[in-house]
Amino acid sequence: MNEAIRAVADRLIGLREVMDVSVEEAAKVCGLTPEQYAEYETGEKDIPVSVLHSMATAYNIEITTLISGDEPHMKSYFLTKKGTGLSVDRRKDYKYQALAYGFQGRKADPFMVTVCPEDTQELHLNSHPGHEFNLMMEGSMKIVVDGKEMILEEGDSLYFDATRPHGMQALNGKCAKFLAIIM
């Protein structure tokens, strides 16, 4: 079991207990079945950022707190130097770096996301509340939003309703890097 995933799962359980929220209610907030949600709380299964975002939004807690266990403290600005964002490991083919994790009361969550090619070539779809903006920084990737397939190249951007099923996949056997802002 990945200790980082276990720690996040423990924080989800703690949040639910403090807020007196049932597994069924938390699952509804995340758009999951109670069985799917409970599986994330075991710490045995990777927890998607969309689940953390849904819980953080619904229960007025910073997503940073769920990810890292630390409260953000900055109120006027927060500087993140290149390559130093808070790492959020989802799957072996996705790497997220939270870029504004130290800023209190954020209106959006920016992430630098690296997607690398996988052996299976299976597209993983997810959804979460709000909107999302993606700006391709390096490489190229296929993105599917609500069944519509698009190719993004360096410099391309896409704004979409994140409640729609969406997923990304690196192309040409190389990793793709993009800025994702979840609002």
Side-chain angles (χ1 to χ4, degrees):
M1 164 178 27
N2 180 316
E3 289 306 312
I5 294 171
R6 177 75 245 165
V8 173
D10 288 344
R11 285 190 282 277
L12 279 175
I13 293 167
L15 172 63
R16 258 192 339 90
E17 290 173 351
V18 165
M19 300 299 291
D20 194 26
V21 172
S22 68
V23 168
E24 292 75 17
E25 185 179 335
K28 186 175 180 180
V29 161
C30 298
L32 302 168
T33 67
E35 295 77 21
Q36 289 170 318
Y37 179 84
E39 202 173 356
Y40 292 130
E41 284 193 359
T42 67
E44 298 291 328
K45 186 173 182 181
D46 192 14
I47 305 165
V49 171
S50 59
V51 169
L52 300 177
H53 186 268
S54 295
M55 291 295 285
T57 301
Y59 299 108
N60 199 27
I61 185 171
E62 297 281 350
I63 192 172
T64 302
T65 305
L66 288 176
I67 294 169
S68 70
D70 294 327
E71 291 283 338
H73 299 287
M74 300 304 290
K75 294 180 181 175
S76 59
Y77 71 90
F78 182 75
L79 173 67
T80 303
K81 296 296 254 180
K82 182 179 181 178
T84 64
L86 177 67
S87 287
V88 182
D89 294 326
R90 286 193 54 199
R91 298 190 309 262
K92 68 177 184 173
D93 57 323
Y94 275 70
K95 178 184 176 189
Y96 282 77
Q97 283 188 302
L99 301 177
Y101 61 93
F103 193 88
Q104 196 175 77
R106 290 181 306 281
K107 305 288 185 218
D109 283 302
F111 295 91
M112 187 59 66
V113 183
T114 303
V115 180
C116 291
E118 336 176 52
D119 296 333
T120 63
Q121 296 299 313
E122 181 183 339
L123 190 67
H124 302 281
L125 298 175
N126 70 70
S127 62
H128 50 84
H131 292 170
E132 186 168 330
F133 173 78
N134 295 163
L135 173 64
M136 286 301 297
M137 306 301 288
E138 298 173 14
S140 60
M141 71 177 182
K142 174 172 70 174
I143 183 166
V144 176
V145 178
D146 203 21
K148 172 69 174 163
E149 185 176 306
M150 297 160 269
I151 304 296
L152 298 181
E153 305 283 346
E154 189 173 317
D156 293 346
S157 65
L158 179 67
Y159 187 98
F160 60 95
D161 177 351
T163 64
R164 307 292 181 164
H166 59 280
M168 298 86 172
Q169 194 171 52
L171 297 175
N172 305 321
K174 297 179 183 173
C175 293
K177 186 181 251 185
F178 64 99
L179 174 66
I181 302 173
I182 300 172
M183 301 157 273

